[in-house]
Structure formats: structure tokens, C-alpha cells
Amino acid sequence: MAAETADTVPARRRLPSMSVLGPIVALVVLVLVGAFLNPNFVSAANITNVLARSAFIGIIAVGMTFVITAGGLDLSVGSMAAFIAGLMILVMNWALPTLGIGIPIILLGMAVALVAGLLAGLLNGFLITTLGIEAFIVTLGSMGIYRSLVTWLADGGTLSLDFGLRTFYRPVYFGGILGISWPIIVFALVVILGEILMSRSRFGRHCAATGSNEHVAHYSNVDVNRTRLLTYAMLGVLVGVATIMYVPRLGSASASTGVLWELEAIAAVIIGGTVLKGGFGRVWGTVIGVLILSLIDNLLNLTDLVSPYLNGAIQGIIIILAVILQREAKAKG
Amino acid sequence: MSYMRALLTGAAVAALGTAAAAQDTQVIGVSIPAATHGWAGGMNFHAQEAIERLEEVYPQLDFVLATASDPGQQVNDIEDMVATRGIDALVVLPFESEPLTAPVQAVKEGGAWVTVVDRGLSVEGIEDLYVAGDNPGFGRVSGEYMAEKMPDGGKIVVLRGIPTTIDNERVEGFESAIEGSGIEIIGMEHGNWNRDDSFNVMQDFLSKYPQIDAVWASDDDMAVGVLAAIDAAGRDDVQFVLGGAGMKEMVKRVMDGDTMIPADVTYPPSMIATAIELTAVGMTSTAPVSGTFTIGSVLITPDNAESFYFPDSPF
Amino acid sequence: MTDAAPVIALRDATKRFGPVEVLHDVDLEVRAGEVLALIGENGAGKSTAMKCLAGYQPLTSGRILLDGKEVTFGSLHAGEEAGIVLIHQEFNLAEQLTVEQNIFLGRELRKGLFLDKARMRQLSRDYLDRVKCEVDPDRVVSSLSNSEKQMVEIAKALGRDARVLVMDEPTAVLTNTESRILFDQVRALKAAGTAIIFTSHKLSEVSEIADRVTVMRDGAVVHDGPVADMTEDAMATAMVGRDVSDLYPPKGRRPDDAPVMLKVEGLSVPRFAEDVSFELRRGEILGIAGLVGSGRTEAMEGLCGLRPASAARIEIDGAPVAIRRPADALSHGLCYLTEDRKLKGLLLEKGMRVNLTLQSLEKFGGLMVDRQAEEKALDAAIREFDIRGGQRESRVSNLSGGNQQKLLLAKVMQSEPRILVVDEPTRGIDIGTKQQIYTFLRRLADEGRAIIVISSEMQEVIGLSDRVLVMRRGRVAGMLEGEAITEDAIVRHAMGVGADSQGRAA
């Protein structure tokens, strides 16, 4: 009781706290170090490269932010992306004789990706909410299923989009408007919508309430299962969106597509300050997390600072630091 | 990866169960890594194809195929084959040399014939037959081609595979072949035999170096990513990209006289078929097949490309 | 007794958290064989004083005297070593371990290299028997009810041979019968020379069991003396600093002619309640009494769509309604306020604004939430319900229990219910806030709503309700009205010896 009084010490007055500043500071430091070591690092071309290649994981990570905020987890997104990419390529190659090269076949491919993503997300969500199986187990299972399916679809090799079709579809990754490439535009749109949805909408509030304490949410007339189901469905659709951007880049999918994307996405979400056990999420933080992870890669390639073998170690250190910062913020708050 | 192990082991056990009764037939076990990248995918394809073909040719032979996604699982597969099928011969492409040496040695001591493919074991003399790829040779052939193609030297970048002995041997072979040729390696990074990774690495190389004369991608999957990155950057300083392994799309481009892909270097995944076939011959006839059978790396040029083009293979 | 030297004492104890001083020159002492009641409003510093005494938290300044000698406890382990055992308000049990494993946690008995399980089980059984708790020592703690957990905590303390037993609101989650058992144990321990300190909001308990009472207010001791010299009213006045003799607001006019707002026939909740029927009139407060476990909470949760239930007929304002999920209940103006504010009522790690509007977000904009409207609603709620303390954006876990309860009440009122079910509205709340909450509830009824109050506190049910429904084993055992609402009548109904003895005085 007296301790409670003590806790009313205005921890928030010290805003912005380390948990907010930490990721931003890390990002700024990375950029400064990069610019210092190699001026090309801040060139428009390099920035475009990094942003565009971050877009896949970034778009997925935005969806993952909602899933984790609502107290869930999805390990299947990397395999799901590979499977959707494979499916999309197969369908487009199959429809090529009928539709020919043109906008309709691209739209067909996109529709396949979005619908497949939605269904895959709904399936995960259904098993987790309605049947009440642990999210970790369900998505560990579906991760294996999608990975095997894509290997099977590709007969152990690589599924390649028809060359002519690929040339036509290519601008979706490499083209853009006003010098900004499409993946970056789509990524930015997803982030903006995601941020608004998370911080301003009823759905975002319900996600946070569900992840924070599902009993309280239930007693407060929040449909906990529906909220969770929606987060998985949304993540599935976003995996579809990411795949739409991914396929035109190399025009192929194989068993090695999207390996470990799920862990990168989860890592980005956590670095960004979203709480792994749910209850609090921020989309803009996730974006910073994604950028930090891809900048580390980029920086190590552009400079000869450390052995590339240590790349994983550096990312690991950053993830752990991010969680430590979160915990300190909690202890103070 | 354990989910995959569970599925595959389940399938393998089921397969073992149904065919266990046959007498007088000899059983050949084939243990290979799973199809996690293009080359391994091709190798899986050739293994399955060889087994199907040989089962028809030699009705007295039974084959057991197991694919593993890590060395530990491969050890389990081999132990299962010995325990439940009593295999008479083992054809193994070791995931890694060290962890597989002792288990394969145990199979040998149990009296079975052992054929090792591609990667040697760390103790010599275990295997009856060694069907070897030539990794230093792969690097050497690549290096020699580079040196010949760029007589005045030049600046190149190198993409390496997953950090392994194979990769090290190839790069050493390459480096010694270009020594004194005036070719300078200005950047070397791991692209992990993966298209996405090599795309990212190449993008960063292009940002870092304003002038790159050529790229040794060292693998055809990585060459795909490299080409996409060069294309996207719109750079025309890169004269050509040399991949490796003999992927059908790349062989096709060599055949068609594509100047960006003027040549390729073989490291045929079909060496597994050679190994299975030789083992089958050894089990069913008196023809001597023991010893070492090295499959050299050959340079594919537009002149000979047609004989390396297999449109049906997934690789 | 008073001549003996204190076993343990705090002298000039001051404790600060950052800039906030929560204990101010506190002197506290207890002697062997003495029961000390420490009372005060929420936030008065009782829990902190106890934690400092037991070595859970270090003092900022001042001294702890053990047998007259100054000691410093480096850790709670040091406190336990010295024979001081603290039983927390929030339980300190490992949920996934069994009762026996908890009782011997950290001091497992061994026979050679191995655990002496047989002996530990035997001793656990003995300790549990002493508190008349029939829980199987092999049960996992997470499967126990709150009162069972409390008894296990006490059994655990018995096993530690405490010289000083410190209990923070031990009876808050216990039924009256269980409280009796606890007091018997307290008397036994006292006779054996143990010094006991406890806190409670139930002043009748203090009068009954304590030898001495220390009253705290705002971090300082304001009164210390024998219980015998102090009436319960005097205690309450000392705690609050003002007169609180009119705890309950005057009851409403007899609502006989008022229209029936809610009519329930044959409500059943599987495993918990069967065939519950009653009527609720406008402007009325209906109390629901009964023992813990009599199905009161579950029946009302079932009514409000929070758990699977069936009913022959439910009418609201004369029209039949079907309620399958909480949203159905809310759309008919029926709302349930949970008894468990920490686990089911509030998002403890969120701020007041988010909590206030969670249940009625659709009121604050369409798809997007209108923060300004939320802030306004929060301003109004803070004013109307007198929610004090805490920054607006800091976590509600920082609020005292009473303010949490007021916030919870404000939260459900955001849904503008016309029929409100409140479950244990004053559990663990100080007397001043209780009075405020009673006033709110009566005002809500007077404004034309209908209120159901579930409570385990007999005085509360009697003081607040116009009518009282008593439940026993999931069924309605009786309905009392007006003068017939007496403690004796309620107990008789609740124990199942009711109907015919209604007229007799106890």
C-alpha cells in the first residue's frame, strides 16, 4: 500500500525514456558510423537498396507487431512467404498461355498471393483461437508444412517465373514513382496505416488489451478470439503483400526462400520496443528495428570493420540490448 | 528443422516397414542431405532418378533413400538403416566430414560396402569407393578462365558459399590460379549459395566500388542474384559473371551466347547417380569398382554447352 | 505483557521512494505472545512498514531492533533466518508446484542425498490439519482457490517456526468460517509465545483478536494503545481523521411500485448455479449474500454473458432478451463489475485513460479513437468519482486499491448501464473510500438505475441493500426484505438452516 504510493513517483516525467530513445539512438549511431566509414553509405542508391530490401521483412514485421501485441506469435511467416511465392509463380506460369503477358496476369498473381496469405493467416488464427492450441505449436507446425510444400512444389529445385513475364513484372520491385521504388512506397503505406491502426484505432486498443490481460479484455466486452484471429489474418495478408514485392526481384522461389524471415521479423518487433509477451506494441519502433537489422548487414558489407562471420553476433547483441532496455523501462515505470 | 526431420523420418520408417520381408535381395542405403538449395535439389533429383532406374535393371536390389537436414539427423538415418534394414551397402554424401566419420566407420566394420560421395571422411581408408567432386579443381578451372578472359588484369569481387571446407578449397584453388595474372580481388563476402543473400551482397558491392570488372559468383544460384543486382543498378562496368555447378538456366544462357554469362564450371549434382550406379555394379557383378573416382570440374563454353544441358532436371 | 521487552521494533523508521516519503519517523513494536493490529487507510504505509520490518525492503533511515539489538536485514532470507515470517497480501506461492513443495520450498528435508518425501508429506499434512485445511498436499497450487492459498501460506509459516509472524490482510480472501479457523491458530501461536502483527480493514476482527492496535495515517503513527481502550468507531475516526459513523447512505424509498427492470427465471450456470430466479426494480439495490463458493459470482457472470449459461426466461423492461455474450448484455444496458479488479477488471500496466474507455470504445469515435473525447471523459470521471493519486498516464497499478476500485466503477459507468451488477465492490478498501463507494451506488440507484451488490461482508449487505437474496450451493435459499434483513437471517439461509427460524433473534 505504501509501496503503491511510492510508485506514483512520476516515472513518465522523464520522457522520452530509454525504451523509446534506445532504438532511435542505435539507428542514428549506425547511420553516423556508416557515413563516417564509407561516404557511399548515405548515397541515394544505397539508401534505396537498403529500404527496398527491408521492405519484405518490414511489411511482415508490421503484421507481426499486431500478433505479438495481442499476445500471440507466428513462426510460420518465412515458410508462408516461400509457399505463397511458389504458388504465385506456378499459377502465373499456368495462366500464361491463356492470359498472355499483361496487366491481367499480374493482377491474378497478386490476387492469388493476397488470398493465399489471408487463408493461411485465418487457418493459423482458427487453430489458435477456436481450437485453443498454443500459438507457438500451431505456427511451428505450419512453418514445417509450408516449407515442405514449397520444396515439393519446386521438386526440390527452384520455381522460376517465365522469363518474359518476369521482365514485365520486374518494375514492381525495381520501378517506382518520383525515384522512389515501389517496395519502399508500399512499405511506407503499410507502416503509416499500421501505426494509425495501432495507436489510434479501436482494433489497436483491443489488441493491446487482449495481450495485456485477456481476462480483463473479456470482462470489458472485447471479443478476444476475434481480435486474435484478425491479427493472424492481417499478418497473412501482409505476407501476401510482401510476396507480391518479392517475386519480381529474382522471379523465383525455392526451399531457401524466406528462411529465418520469421525470426528476423520477431527480432525487429522486439528491438522496436514491442513487448514479447504482449500488451504493448508500436509500429514505428518495428520499422526502426527492421532498419537496424538490415543496416548492420549493409554496413558490414560496405566496410571491412569486422569479419562477416560476426554479423549474427552483432545482431544478437542488439536484440538482447533492446530487451534489457525494455526491462529497465519497466522497472522504473 | 526438427519438424522436417520428423516428417522425413516418419516417411522413411514407413518405407522401411513395407519392404522389409524380402529375402535374398541385397539392400543399398542411400543417405544424402535434403534439398535445401539448388545444387542439393538437383542432387536429390538425380538420386531418386538413379534409384528408380536401377530398381528396374536389378530386381535383386532394394534401395532405401533418406534425406537429412542436419548431420545429427543423417547419423540417425544411417543407424536406422543398419538396425531395421540390415543394409549391405551404404552410399553416403556426408553433410559434414567430422560427425559422419565414426558412424560410417561402424557401418563398414559391420561388413557393409561403403561408398562416399563428394565430401571425404576425416579418416582415410574407410570407404570402398570414393566418388569425389574436385573442389580445388573447381576453383582452379574458374580462376584459369578468369585469367584467360582478362589478360590485362582487372578488379573483381567474389561471392563465397556457406562457410565450409568445400568453400575454402574452392577459393584457395581460385586464388592460386589467378596469382600473377593482374586480377585483383577487391571484395569477398559470403552469399551462402542463396539468391537473396547474394543479391544483397552484390548491391552493397556495387555501392562500395565504383568500378567492378567482373564477378566470380562461384555458384549459379548466387549468379542469379548477382545478375539481378547489376541489372537493377544499371551498371555497365561489369563485363561478365562466372557462376558454377551447371544449373540448366545458366547452361542455356552460355549456349545462347549471353555475354554476361560467357561460361560456367561444372560441379555436377549427378555425381550421386554415378556413385549409386557404381555401387549397384559392385554389388551385382565381379567387376572391380573400388578406389577413387574423381569427377573433374569442366569448363562449359558455348562450344560444348549442349552436352551439359538437361532441361528435365530441376537444377 | 506490556512489561516485557519487544521482540522486534522499528525506531524512527523513515522510508522514501524517490522524493516520496511513505514512512515518517515510525515507531512500531511487538512483544512475545502479543497480537498487534496495524490499521490505517490504503496508502497509509502499513504494508511498507511490515515489509521493512521483515527485511523485504531496506529503511531509508531509522533502526530495526531485534531483542533490543540493532540489526540490518540484507535480504528477506536474513529476516526469515531471524525468525520473522511475512505473509504477503499477494500470495507468495510457486503456482506450478504442489502444496507440499511450497510448504518446504527453500528448506527441503533430506535423507542422505535424497529428499525425504514421506516426512515432508507427513509434516505438511500436520500443518494443514492445524489450520483445518483439507487440501491434498499433492495438489498443484494453481488449482487452489484464494482462500485455500491463504491457508497454505499460513501452514507454510507454521512450518517455519516463526518468532514473529507478520500477516498483511490475512482475512481479505477468507470466508467467515475460515477466518475463525485462522483466529484459533493465531490464539494458539500467541499462547506459544509468537509475536503476531497483522493488518485488516475489518475492525470487528481487530477488536476480537488483537491485544494492541497501532493506527497509521499518511505514513505516520497517529495512535498506539490497547485494543480494550478503543471502540471500532474511534479506530475508524483515527484512521480517516474525520467522523465516519454514517458509513451507509440512507436507503431509498420502498420501491414496491417501481417498474420491474430485470426479471430472471430459471437461470442455470453449469456446475455453479441452478434455477436462480429473481426480480429487480428500478431504484433498488438488491444484495446477494451467501458463502464464498455458493455460486453468486458465477450466476451473475452467466447472466451477463461472461460464461456459458441458460435461462428459462430473462426480461429487461418487460421484453424477453437473449444474452449470449457480454456485448448482448451491454446492448440491453446490463453490466457486470468484477470482484477481481487486478486480474479481470483493470489493465494494470496501462494508464487510466485506456482503462476508462476500454469497455465503451465505440462511444469514442468510429474506427479511430478520439483521444480528446477520452481525455474529457477521464476529467469528468476523476471529478465525479473522486479518483485521487497517480499521474494521468502512469500505470493504474500505481493507484491504491480504493482508487482502482473507483476507476473500475467509472469504467463500467462509461457504458451507461441501467442495470449494474457489482461484485465485492469494497474488497481490500479502506473505510473512507468504502463510504464514498456506498454513496455512489446509492446515488446511481436514486437516479433510476437498478443495482445488484454481491458481497461477503455481512454489514455491507445489510447496510446497503433494500432487499437481500441469499444463495446456497448454487440455488436461491431465501429473499429478505426490510426489517427481516438481519445477520442472523442471512447466516441461517446461507448455512441451510433458514426459513423456519426467520423470526427468531440470535
Side-chain angles (χ1 to χ4, degrees), chain B residues 158-180:
Chain B
V158 173
L159 283 94
R160 310 184 55 160
I162 295 169
T164 48
T165 321
I166 301 175
D167 186 60
N168 291 341
E169 284 178 2
R170 289 178 178 183
V171 173
E172 277 162 27
F174 181 82
E175 281 176 327
S176 60
I178 60 167
E179 223 171 66

Side-chain angles (χ1 to χ4, degrees), chain A residues 1-10 12-13 196 199-202 205-206 208-209 212-213 215-216 218-222 277-280 330 333, chain C residues 17 22 42-43 45-48 301 306 326-327 330 336 343-346 349-350 353 357 359 361-362 366-369 371 374 395 398-400 411:
Chain A
M1 275 168 271
E4 284 165 15
T5 323
D7 286 344
T8 55
V9 177
R12 297 270 167 155
R13 199 170 286 165
I196 293 175
S199 64
R200 300 271 153 184
S201 82
R202 215 190 307 170
R205 200 68 76 75
H206 283 180
S212 181
N213 182 333
H215 298 293
V216 173
H218 176 62
Y219 277 80
S220 304
N221 190 30
V222 173
K277 67 179 176 53
F280 176 77
K330 186 171 278 175
Chain C
F17 292 103
V22 289
N42 287 336
K46 304 180 304 263
S47 292
T48 308
E301 288 187 351
L306 286 156
L330 278 179
Y336 170 82
L343 291 182
K344 293 173 178 169
L346 296 172
E349 56 206 52
K350 300 281 175 196
R353 174 175 55 83
T357 60
Q359 185 169 300
L361 266 185
E362 67 286 344
L367 183 62
M368 295 299 129
V369 178
R371 281 209 188 156
E374 285 188 284
R395 301 153 175 237
N398 293 343
L399 294 176
S400 69
K411 168 184 163 178

Side-chain angles (χ1 to χ4, degrees), chain B residues 178-253:
Chain B
I178 60 167
E179 223 171 66
S181 67
I183 295 175
E184 186 197 347
I185 300 177
I186 53 175
M188 183 137 67
E189 289 287 348
H190 288 271
N192 304 326
W193 292 318
N194 177 298
R195 295 180 178 201
D196 292 313
D197 290 356
S198 66
F199 177 86
N200 290 349
V201 169
M202 191 62 204
Q203 273 197 329
D204 292 341
F205 275 149
L206 290 167
S207 298
K208 189 175 178 184
Y209 305 111
Q211 174 71 36
I212 298 171
D213 297 316
V215 181
W216 185 44
S218 81
D219 173 80
D220 287 336
D221 263 325
M222 290 204 284
V224 171
V226 167
L227 287 170
I230 294 171
D231 229 17
R235 288 267 291 261
D236 46 18
D237 50 325
V238 185
Q239 295 157 29
F240 68 94
V241 175
L242 182 63
M247 190 168 85
K248 63 182 178 187
E249 287 86 357
M250 287 297 159
V251 177
K252 182 79 168 42
R253 289 177 80 158

Side-chain angles (χ1 to χ4, degrees), chain C residues 139-210:
Chain C
R139 261 175 74 186
V140 176
V141 163
S142 60
S143 73
L144 301 183
S145 71
N146 276 348
S147 57
E148 286 171 328
K149 285 181 190 170
Q150 179 69 284
M151 286 310 196
V152 171
E153 280 273 23
I154 292 160
K156 186 174 158 187
L158 291 177
R160 311 239 144 165
D161 293 329
R163 290 185 63 205
V164 181
L165 179 61
V166 186
M167 297 185 283
D168 198 353
E169 291 201 45
T171 59
V173 295
L174 297 186
T175 62
N176 286 337
T177 322
E178 289 168 327
S179 297
R180 295 258 84 72
I181 296 169
L182 174 67
F183 291 157
D184 288 344
Q185 279 309 307
V186 168
R187 288 192 190 96
L189 287 168
K190 175 182 152 178
T194 309
I196 295 160
I197 307 180
F198 77 103
T199 64
S200 176
H201 286 302
K202 298 174 185 167
L203 298 180
S204 56
E205 289 177 6
V206 173
S207 301
E208 180 186 341
I209 192 76

Side-chain angles (χ1 to χ4, degrees), chain B residues 87-109:
Chain B
I87 50 171
D88 302 287
L90 172 69
V91 178
V92 57
L93 198 162
F95 220 102
E96 279 169 28
S97 305
E98 288 292 341
L100 267 302
T101 297
V104 173
Q105 191 163 24
V107 175
K108 176 68 200 164
E109 280 160 8

Side-chain angles (χ1 to χ4, degrees), chain B residues 73-162:
Chain B
Q73 191 197 347
Q74 191 168 25
V75 172
N76 294 348
D77 287 346
I78 292 173
E79 284 169 358
D80 287 350
M81 284 179 187
V82 173
T84 61
R85 292 299 305 270
I87 50 171
D88 302 287
L90 172 69
V91 178
V92 57
L93 198 162
F95 220 102
E96 279 169 28
S97 305
E98 288 292 341
L100 267 302
T101 297
V104 173
Q105 191 163 24
V107 175
K108 176 68 200 164
E109 280 160 8
W113 172 280
V114 170
T115 302
V116 175
V117 191
D118 189 26
R119 268 154 259 196
L121 299 173
S122 33
V123 176
E124 278 178 37
I126 296 175
E127 69 274 358
D128 297 280
L129 170 63
Y130 180 25
V131 177
D134 184 3
N135 285 306
F138 176 91
R140 194 184 63 249
V141 171
S142 305
E144 283 166 356
Y145 177 77
M146 281 271 186
E148 183 201 316
K149 180 94 174 161
M150 303 167 77
D152 305 326
K155 291 178 174 169
I156 65 165
V157 292
V158 173
L159 283 94
R160 310 184 55 160
I162 295 169

